[in-house]
Every structure is written in structure tokens, then in C-alpha cells.
Amino acid sequence: MRDDTVLRWSLRVYTAVIFVFIFAPIAASLVFSFNSDRFPSIPLGTFTTQWYAKAFSNPEVWDAALRSVIVSVSSAVLATIIGFSAAYTDYRYEFFGKKAFLVLALLPPTIPLIIFALATLGWLSMFQASGMMISVIIAHTVLCAPFAMAVIRLRLNQMDPNLEPAAWNLGASEWVTMKSVVLPFTRPSIAAALCLTAAVSFDEFAVAWFVSGLNKTVPVMILEILTGNIDPQINAIGTAVFMVSITLVVIAQVLIMGRRPKPESA
Amino acid sequence: MKSLARKTDLYAIAWRLPMLVWQGLFFIGPLVFMVAMSFFLVKNYRMEPAFQFSNWEKVLGRGFFWDSYFLTLWLAVLATCVTSLVAFPASYFLAFKVKDTVRRWAVFFLIIPFFTSYLVRIFAWQVILAQQGVINAGLSFIGLGPFTMLNTKFGTMIGYLTLCLPLAVILQTFSLAQIDKRLVEAAHNLGCGRFRSVFTVVVPLAKTGLVVAAVFCFILSFGDFVAPYYLGGSKPPTLSIMIIDTSKSGQQWPRAAVIAIMMIVTLLTVAFAAIGYAYRKRR
Amino acid sequence: MATPLVVFENVVKRFDEFVAVKRMNFEIREGEFLAFMGPSGCGKTTTLRMLAGLEQPTEGDIRLAGKSLLGVKPHERDTPMVWQSLALFPFLNARENVEFGLKMRGQDSTTRRKKAQDWLERLGIGEFAERDVNSLSGGQRQRVALARALVTEPKILLLDEPLSALDAHLVIRMQGVLTKLQRELGITFVYVTHSQSEAFAMADRVVIMSKGEISQIGSSRDIYRTPANRFVAEFVGRNNIFTGTVNATGAINTPAGSFEVDTKAEAGANVSFVVAADVVSLAVEKPKVRNVFTAQLISEEFVGSMVTLFLEAAGGMEVKLQIQERALEGLPREPGQQFFLSFDPAHAHVLKG
């Protein structure tokens, strides 16, 4: 019995250490962003907001932030539309080649970003379509759509297969049913998909770096500062970036978990 | 009169098209083009369509490439093993030793880093692991160090762990939690020791999920350039760093494409072999 | 009798290789309560879904009030349905669920609201109008589903095993609600079920289906007394089926005995006939009537004041006998007890085929 307690406690401590390791960089970045030392170490320097002041007074940061917001909102909307269509098709239809359809829908996240970045750069350059904000939006939509699809598909799993027929039966055409039944039913998952894909796009740097040209997004800017030298501004910008994406991911998760499947019959 | 199923069901087609068109144009298109691009020529920093094997010869004919190839493969395999082993006790704990609600919260938190800036986290590690960084400063209080951690394989591994660990713990926890706990208890009753039962009962039962988790670790670390560059010092470069160097500074997109194709082929081979192994001898 | 509201003409439905419905011809009369009954996979639900337009017939024609329904989409038909899963819209409250069909017909919100409220009240759940449908009980949800289907005042209502998810006591209550509604509204109810008691208790006519074909259409009484074939006789389940050969005197030799039955079959022919469980008589002394045979009591089963006796006749044949419990008073009833059973030749129904 003593053995059991020892084992349980060592596992507990071990798991705690793993969580500390995972969240250490996020916490460190937050702490360093308010720390006066240029090269933070122990003991910490004094409390300061100078890095924030420096970062936020830099017009380039604001330009990049604006671009990042435009890119992530646009790709989130596009990816959610595409993800919804694919999820609905998977839910509703059986057809020849459906396996291939699903593979195509879910494959992008398994391709290393750097390879997809190179391929997209080559492809878009052929149409003189690289180096613009729209290039980043296009590529991010590809990357984000599978996440949107997965989130919405999970919600559709909880939909009674007779719900749509019931609406047709009461006089709603397929399109009207989509608007008045399927969309209301999947609304929380659509909102979750928007948040999650916005977070993915907001943090993506490899593809954005390759195809954005001079239209740098925030992560690309961080990447370039990082390549130069250690600059504590990154902690300030990084903390702001973390706050944005953590908020988005947490909202998404709450939306997904919030509505438990309810019993269909009493 | 015969009423055939309406062949032109506009509604159905309308929902299929967005994904097909978009992923066809901007996912399949680029990848296919990249294969074509690997046969193109570069003249005066401009790419010209052609069908020449010179890029393949130049890249594959150099020992430099193969050094980098095996280094990358070795690092990714190492990262996969390290991540899987480091994650396992935590996953085991979360799957078997806590209540459902605790497990749900743990997964909730583990998802967060997966979708937040990897780049900023790596920068934080740079500062933490530096020669005068937090860890060495801490160690100096007890009279140790300083240790060089940045620009080493150790640094690269820390980066890979940052990238892969949350996902590995999530996937492992899910696959372990699905095991019928009675089977584990049965093994105990039959006198199977606790540690032995982990390897003879738990691991085989969760094999598929554990392998899938490992495959994701491999894919992520094989393709990542941030950890080996910013924490590992990029000497020698991994394949992903080579792609960047070749395409960004040298404008040699076709040669970068050759490297990329070699990477995809390797990934597909490893992934299929692993998944095949995972599903073998089951049922 | 009333005019046909629905006509099925040579309707065939195939799903790839599987034939769900084989060449079906029948009519549904205006204002009748018609029940489709059969084991699962017999094609009864497919038939209902074709009527609602959720499946298209592979061959043949379906006409509603004289007009062909071929190519008419589900939402263009006025064939509301009550679903087995109820399929209430979980994001709408009870009243909004009922309003749905009216909204699709473009009625303004005041009218919609009033009609929906009226219907909810008529079904006794007016006070729950603003409640989330997920918070209602099974019986209340059932009524919301009914109101939602009936609020558009259709000529025909389709019901797909609507009571299968309810507790036994609620089923009886809802049966009462349904028959009363059907009488009051005078509209046609088409009811699909696998439950004999539901079909026989409510329907004017019952359609028995088997393997995609109609075995018999008729009143509950017809189906019970004169089953069209062996399948129906067995499916109804309260019948004794005797099989034997016609002998030289015109009687039928079966393992249980030799019986006189009204048949035109020639000597040597194989014949099966049915004797319903409630027309078999029982006695301890051998009665002086025709068609007497002996059997030993095996077990008994009570349903209210009726009792069903299970006996074994010669040749191992199981015989069921349904009788008022009171009629058994004073009789020995230990298992193994031998009885003389008999039935009137007029009560034997010879099966075709």
C-alpha cells in the first residue's frame, strides 16, 4: 500500500513538472516583458513597462499587428466556410471518392510548414500573386480549414439525422433548412472554429515569412527580430500575441465543451 | 415512368465545391507545382520552366546533403523517442490515476500551447537557457555550471519537446484512457508486477494511439526549422534550414524543391510504415 | 366507402442491390387510420418515407389526391410527419417548434403565435409553450411533435413509430390521444409500427408487410380471423397453425389428429389451416363434438382477466388457447394435466399457398 502512495505521488510530481516545462516559456515571456534587464536572469531586475512602451510606440509593430488581424480574420472566415462545407458534406452525403475528399480535407496539417511555404511561394509567384497580404490569407486558409472542419464535424455528430428531413417535411427547402436548422444547430461550433482558426493564422510564421514579401505579419516580424539579436521587445510583443491567441483558443474550447449533448428522448 | 436520383443536385455540389476548389488550387496545386519546379532551371536569379535533372544531380550528388539528411532523420527519431518517453508517465497518470474532470481540464490546458506562438516560446527558452540565463544563474547558487545549453543538440531537443510534448501527452492520454481498466486489474491479479504490467498489458493495448502520437512527433520535429536554428545553432543545418538557405538567400527554388520532395518521401515512408506497424496483429 | 386519398401504383424501391419495396399496389382512403405493421426491414418505413418524399420510388407512381408525387420535393408536399426520434429543433422552444411549419408557409408572427398556442393548449401543454424542448418530459415532447405536424391543418399525417420511446403506461395514454384526435379532425393517419397492440388498438385498417411486400390489408378482425397466409398467421401470433394432408374422406390428417375443415382441396393435398387461440374449447371429459384432440398443459400466462394456456398436442405441436380466467374455475390446472380440446369447423381458416 505504501508502494502505491509513493508511486502515485511520484507520478503526480512528474506530471506537474511536465506542465511546468510546457508553460514555463509562456510564463517566462510574461515575466521578462516587465523586467528591466536586457538579458534577464536571476535575480530579476526591476519592474518596468519600457519594453511595452518601446514596442507600442513603434509604428512598424502597429502595421504588422493590423496586417496580422486582417490576415487572421480573413483566413478564419474563409477557412470556416470551407471547413463547414466539408464537414457538412461528410455528415450528409455518401459518394464515390469520399475517402479521397476527406484525405484532401484533412491532409494539410501533416505537411511540414516549410515545405508548404516553399510550394506556395513557387505556385503563387507563377501567377505574380506572392508577396501580398492576400497571398498569406490564401495559404493560411488552406492550413486552417482542416481545424475548422474537425470542430464543426464534431458538432454535427450530435445532430439527429432526422432534423433536416423534419424541416423539409414542414415545408422548408434544403437551403432554407440550412439557414434555419443546420446553421443554428452548429452555431457554437462555427464560433469555435472561427476562434481556433484565427489563432492558428495569427501565430503562423513559416508560410507567412515565405509569401508575405514586405507585408510582414507580427510573427514574421518576431522571426526577423529573433534572427538579429536578443531584444526584450519580443517579450512584450510576444506576451501580447500570447494573450490574443490564448484568449481565442480558450473561447473556442469553452464553446466546444459548453454544450453537452442532450438526451434526444426522455 | 422512372424517377432517377437527380444527377445534378446543385445543393450537394455547392457544399462539396469550396473545399475541392480551394484545397485543389492552393494545396494540391502548389505541391504538384513543386515537383515540376524541381526540374526547372535558374538563370540570372530567374526561374525558367525546363525539364532537367541537374537540380536533382546537384543536390543528391553532394555529401553535404546526405550529412544533413541523416542528421535530420537522427534528430527527428531522437526527438520522437525522447518525447514519447517523457510524455508517457504523465499520460499514464492522467489516463489512470485522476478523475474524468481533472483529465478534461488537463487536456484543456494542453491544447492551449499547441495553438499559441511557438516562436515566442522558443525565444523564451533562448533567454532561459543562455550562458548567463535563468538556469545557469540558478545553478551557480549551488556552485554548478555554467553549462552551455544553447547551440547544442540539447537545445534542439528542448525546442522539439516544446513543439511536440503537449500534443504527445494529449494523444497518449486519449489512447491510454480507452483501455479497459479491468484488463490491467486482471494482469495484477495474475501476479503481474506493476511495472511489468505496464509493458506487457498497457502498452500493447494502447499501441495504435501511442504510435500515432509518435508519428505526429516525428512529422513535427522532422519539418521544424526553429528549434535547430535558434536553439541548436544550425551547425550543421537540418533539411528544413537547408530549404530556407537555398530558397531565401540563393534564390535556388528548384534545388530547395528537391530537398522538400526528399523530405515528403521520407515522411510518407515513415508514416505509412509506422501506421502499418500500429495496425498489424490487431484483431 | 370514402374515395382514395393516396394511391400506390406498381411502386418499387431499390437501394443498390437491395429491394426494399417490391411492386406495391394499394390505396389509402380519405379519413382512415391506416397502420403499417411488420418486422424490422419489411419496408414499412421506406413506404412512409416515399410518401413524405424522403425517398424516391425506383419505379411506379404515388398519387396524393389525384396528383402524382413523382419529383415533388419533400418541402413541396403537405405530408407532415411525427418522427420516431421526434426530431424537435433543440434550439427552439416548444412554441417556436410548433410555429416552424407556419413560418415556412409565410404566415405572419401574430397568426403563427396564436395557432401554435391553440394547438399546444388543445394537446394539454399550453403552459409549457415557452419552455426549452430539452427540458420537457417524453410525453410532453411527443405532444409538441404532434402539434408541430398538425398546426398546418394537413389532410394526412404520417407517424413513424412515434410511441416506441415512451413508457408502457404513456403509450396507452397517447394511443387514446391519437385516436381521439383522428376522429375529431377527420384526417387520414398513416401509422408505422412494429407493435401489434398499437396497430390493432387504433387502426381502421392494418397493412401487414413482409420482405418488401404487402401480405394482407384488412381490419384488425380480418387479419386476426382470416390471415391471408402463413406469415400473417404467425406474425399475429395468437393463432394455432395445423398442417396436414387431406385424406379420402375429405378430413385433414395432422400430427395432432384428424380434423374436418371446410376445404376444397383434393385428397392427398397438403393443407394448412389456422384456428385462433380464443376459439379453441377445453374440457376434462371428452365432449361429443367434432374436431376433438388431446393435449397436455405446459404453462399459462395472465393478461388481465384473460389467460393464455400453452399446451402440447400429439406430435409435439404447441397449442395456444385463450380463455376467460373465470371459465377455468374448478378445473385442474397442474402442468401435465391432459385436456380435450376442440374447435368448430367453421372457425378453422384454411391458408392459401
Side-chain angles (χ1 to χ4, degrees):
Chain A
M1 288 308 103
R2 240 200 51 134
D3 265 15
D4 215 55
T5 323
V6 171
L7 179 78
R8 185 179 284 270
W9 272 99
S10 21
L11 278 175
R12 191 170 288 175
V13 170
Y14 182 87
T15 309
V17 169
I18 293 292
F19 271 77
V20 168
F21 174 85
I22 289 172
F23 286 94
I26 298 178
S29 150
L30 176 70
V31 172
F32 296 159
S33 72
F34 291 108
N35 182 28
S36 59
D37 294 342
R38 190 162 187 83
F39 301 101
S41 189
I42 302 182
L44 290 169
T46 52
F47 179 87
T48 178
T49 53
Q50 58 165 314
W51 309 119
Y52 286 94
K54 199 175 162 198
F56 292 157
S57 62
N58 182 351
E60 272 184 57
V61 171
W62 285 108
D63 287 349
L66 181 64
R67 271 184 224 114
S68 272
V69 169
I70 294 173
V71 166
S72 62
V73 169
S74 317
S75 8
V77 170
L78 284 169
T80 303
I81 292 171
I82 293 167
F84 179 90
S85 317
Y88 179 69
T89 298
D90 177 37
Y91 164 80
R92 167 94 189 265
Y93 297 100
E94 292 298 328
F95 53 93
F96 178 76
K98 185 169 165 184
K99 277 236 172 77
F101 180 91
L102 291 179
V103 167
L104 183 60
L106 295 169
L107 201 58
T110 65
I111 297 289
L113 287 170
I114 198 72
I115 295 176
F116 180 63
L118 175 71
T120 306
L121 174 66
W123 180 243
L124 292 181
S125 302
M126 207 175 70
F127 304 107
Q128 269 80 47
S130 105
M132 295 178 285
M133 239 200 300
I134 187 107
S135 333
V136 188
I137 294 173
I138 286 173
H140 278 185
T141 302
V142 172
L143 295 176
C144 294
F147 292 104
M149 172 177 173
V151 168
I152 294 166
R153 187 66 185 85
L154 276 177
R155 176 66 181 155
L156 281 171
N157 260 350
Q158 300 171 356
M159 190 162 99
D160 178 351
N162 281 329
L163 212 59
E164 276 189 283
W168 309 334
N169 182 254
L170 293 166
S173 71
E174 282 186 304
W175 290 104
V176 173
T177 301
M178 171 52 70
K179 182 179 137 275
S180 53
V181 173
V182 185
L183 285 179
F185 189 90
T186 48
R187 190 161 292 146
S189 66
I190 291 172
L194 282 170
C195 291
L196 204 61
T197 50
V200 171
S201 165
F202 196 75
D203 290 327
E204 202 287 326
F205 52 88
V207 179
W209 183 35
F210 268 61
V211 303
S212 63
L214 299 172
N215 297 296
K216 283 177 240 166
T217 58
V218 173
V220 176
M221 199 171 146
I222 295 176
L223 188 75
E224 291 188 346
I225 301 175
L226 207 53
T227 315
N229 212 333
I230 288 194
D231 181 345
Q233 261 195 84
I234 296 186
N235 286 320
I237 302 172
T239 301
V241 168
F242 271 137
M243 289 308 136
V244 172
S245 38
I246 288 177
T247 310
L248 288 171
V249 176
V250 168
I251 292 175
Q253 292 199 66
V254 169
L255 284 167
I256 294 168
M257 295 181 13
R259 271 205 190 182
R260 294 275 156 75
K262 282 169 181 156
E264 272 304 312
S265 58
Chain B
M1 196 186 124
K2 249 189 166 184
S3 142
L4 291 163
R6 279 158 292 149
K7 273 283 171 223
T8 48
D9 186 345
L10 285 177
Y11 181 82
I13 291 169
W15 295 107
R16 262 166 242 189
L17 276 182
M19 202 282 289
L20 286 176
V21 169
W22 198 277
Q23 304 301 68
L25 269 180
F26 303 118
F27 181 65
I28 298 299
L31 291 180
V32 170
F33 179 74
M34 191 173 72
V35 176
M37 194 163 81
S38 71
F39 299 101
F40 286 6
L41 290 178
V42 175
K43 282 177 189 158
N44 300 328
Y45 297 103
R46 284 186 61 89
M47 201 164 60
E48 282 177 13
F51 190 72
Q52 299 284 327
F53 284 88
S54 57
N55 301 309
W56 287 86
E57 284 159 15
K58 287 229 170 69
V59 172
L60 301 187
R62 280 186 190 150
F64 185 62
F65 168 78
W66 291 106
D67 290 347
S68 172
Y69 182 86
F70 288 112
L71 171 77
T72 313
L73 202 57
W74 160 240
L75 284 177
V77 169
L78 191 63
T80 305
C81 297
V82 169
T83 312
S84 296
L85 291 176
V86 168
F88 188 79
S91 312
Y92 183 85
F93 176 72
L94 291 176
F96 293 121
K97 305 284 175 187
V98 300
K99 285 189 223 127
D100 277 4
T101 37
V102 177
R103 178 160 59 238
R104 225 177 281 136
W105 277 104
V107 171
F108 182 96
F109 280 110
L110 287 169
I111 286 173
I112 293 172
F114 188 70
F115 286 102
T116 48
S117 179
Y118 173 48
L119 214 49
V120 182
R121 281 181 286 155
I122 290 298
F123 174 70
W125 279 122
Q126 254 192 355
V127 176
I128 297 170
L129 300 177
Q131 205 74 12
Q132 299 84 30
V134 175
I135 290 186
N136 275 324
L139 288 174
S140 74
F141 281 117
I142 50 171
L144 290 172
F147 293 101
T148 304
M149 290 176 281
L150 278 184
N151 303 339
T152 62
K153 298 273 186 300
F154 175 77
T156 310
M157 281 303 137
I158 292 289
Y160 286 155
L161 275 175
T162 306
L163 182 65
C164 306
L165 198 55
L167 187 64
V169 176
I170 292 174
L171 294 176
Q172 285 189 356
T173 303
F174 279 148
S175 65
L176 290 174
Q178 278 170 2
I179 294 179
D180 189 343
K181 291 195 174 63
R182 284 170 302 181
L183 289 174
V184 185
E185 275 159 27
H188 284 313
N189 287 341
L190 293 171
C192 193
R194 195 174 302 282
F195 285 100
R196 244 184 75 203
S197 76
V198 168
F199 292 104
T200 53
V201 181
V202 176
V203 171
L205 282 172
K207 192 170 91 174
T208 311
L210 299 179
V211 172
V212 168
V215 168
F216 270 98
C217 291
F218 183 83
I219 292 175
L220 287 175
S221 40
F222 191 72
D224 178 40
F225 69 92
V226 176
Y229 192 89
Y230 294 100
L231 297 179
S234 173
K235 286 185 185 91
T238 59
L239 290 181
S240 42
I241 297 173
M242 253 175 105
I243 289 183
I244 295 170
D245 289 346
T246 319
S247 59
K248 278 259 167 190
S249 39
Q251 291 294 316
Q252 275 290 357
W253 295 358
R255 283 183 207 172
V258 172
I259 303 169
I261 293 164
M262 289 300 290
M263 285 178 78
I264 289 184
V265 170
T266 310
L267 279 174
L268 285 178
T269 313
V270 171
F272 275 112
I275 301 293
Y277 166 75
Y279 281 97
R280 203 186 50 178
K281 283 195 294 192
R282 283 186 81 228
R283 260 166 264 165
Chain C
M1 204 51 199
T3 49
L5 178 66
V6 177
V7 178
F8 272 60
E9 201 175 273
N10 291 322
V11 171
V12 177
K13 177 63 186 175
R14 276 190 290 269
F15 294 104
D16 297 326
E17 296 300 297
F18 176 69
V19 185
V21 170
K22 297 173 192 161
R23 207 154 298 281
M24 202 175 201
N25 284 290
F26 72 95
E27 291 172 358
I28 301 175
R29 298 168 190 157
E30 201 161 340
E32 77 172 327
F33 195 133
L34 184 75
F36 280 88
M37 189 171 77
S40 55
C42 70
K44 56 189 194 296
T45 298
T46 307
T47 308
L48 196 74
R49 290 176 65 89
M50 285 196 284
L51 197 45
L54 302 169
E55 308 287 354
Q56 291 292 324
T58 318
E59 281 175 43
D61 192 9
I62 303 172
R63 285 192 298 275
L64 176 67
K67 284 189 212 103
S68 171
L69 288 177
L70 290 185
V72 180
K73 289 185 181 162
H75 70 273
E76 296 158 345
R77 309 179 177 202
D78 198 10
T79 51
M81 182 148 154
V82 178
W83 307 76
Q84 184 172 11
S85 65
L86 300 187
L88 296 177
F89 303 122
F91 43 85
L92 300 177
N93 66 27
R95 179 179 49 75
E96 290 163 339
N97 261 282
V98 179
E99 278 185 34
F100 192 91
L102 300 171
K103 199 172 169 185
M104 293 307 134
R105 280 162 182 75
Q107 300 199 4
D108 67 274
S109 68
T110 329
T111 321
R112 274 183 351 225
R113 213 187 168 97
K114 189 179 174 311
K115 282 189 182 168
Q117 191 65 40
D118 285 352
W119 264 101
L120 289 169
E121 259 148 36
R122 178 167 191 172
L123 290 171
I125 48 167
E127 62 201 284
F128 303 114
E130 304 302 319
R131 285 269 291 274
D132 183 350
V133 285
N134 295 303
S135 70
L136 299 178
S137 73
Q140 291 161 347
R141 289 157 56 82
Q142 189 81 56
R143 287 159 201 257
V144 174
L146 258 176
R148 183 178 73 172
L150 287 169
V151 74
T152 54
E153 295 163 20
K155 280 211 193 80
I156 185 167
L157 179 71
L158 314 180
L159 303 106
D160 182 15
E161 310 223 12
L163 307 184
S164 60
L166 295 184
D167 294 340
H169 69 282
L170 272 176
V171 170
I172 307 286
R173 267 243 305 277
M174 284 309 294
Q175 281 181 7
V177 171
L178 286 173
T179 27
K180 186 161 166 274
L181 260 178
Q182 198 261 342
R183 299 263 155 73
E184 286 173 6
L185 298 169
I187 67 171
T188 307
F189 274 31
V190 182
Y191 191 99
V192 163
T193 181
H194 62 267
S195 151
Q196 225 180 98
S197 61
E198 284 178 25
F200 283 0
M202 293 187 282
D204 299 321
R205 287 198 304 157
V206 177
V207 182
I208 308 273
M209 288 188 70
S210 160
K211 294 175 182 158
E213 283 176 307
I214 294 179
S215 297
Q216 187 168 3
I217 306 183
S219 66
S220 309
R221 194 190 150 78
D222 288 348
I223 285 171
Y224 186 41
R225 293 290 176 211
T226 55
N229 55 35
R230 198 181 186 91
F231 171 79
V232 177
E234 279 172 356
F235 188 72
V236 169
R238 281 178 292 189
N239 287 311
N240 297 300
I241 305 171
F242 294 82
T243 304
T245 327
V246 180
N247 66 20
T249 64
I252 300 168
N253 291 333
T254 76
S258 184
F259 301 107
E260 292 172 34
V261 167
D262 182 20
T263 176
K264 291 178 183 67
E266 288 170 17
N270 261 317
V271 169
S272 292
F273 63 93
V274 175
V275 180
D278 61 348
V279 297
V280 180
S281 313
L282 165 132
V284 182
E285 309 277 317
K286 183 168 180 177
K288 291 197 173 103
V289 292
R290 288 183 293 179
N291 293 343
V292 178
F293 62 109
T294 59
Q296 288 171 343
L297 184 62
I298 297 189
S299 62
E300 46 186 83
E301 193 181 284
F302 282 92
V303 184
S305 63
M306 296 295 281
V307 61
T308 305
L309 302 181
F310 295 91
L311 306 100
E312 191 178 293
M317 184 186 158
E318 187 189 82
V319 180
K320 279 165 281 184
L321 188 153
Q322 207 170 41
I323 194 165
Q324 286 281 338
E325 140 85 341
R326 200 180 276 171
L328 286 172
E329 268 170 31
L331 291 180
R333 279 157 70 184
E334 282 82 45
Q337 170 72 40
Q338 181 160 313
F339 288 105
F340 290 95
L341 307 182
S342 61
F343 59 89
D344 189 324
H347 287 152
H349 170 68
V350 177
L351 295 174
K352 285 173 213 131

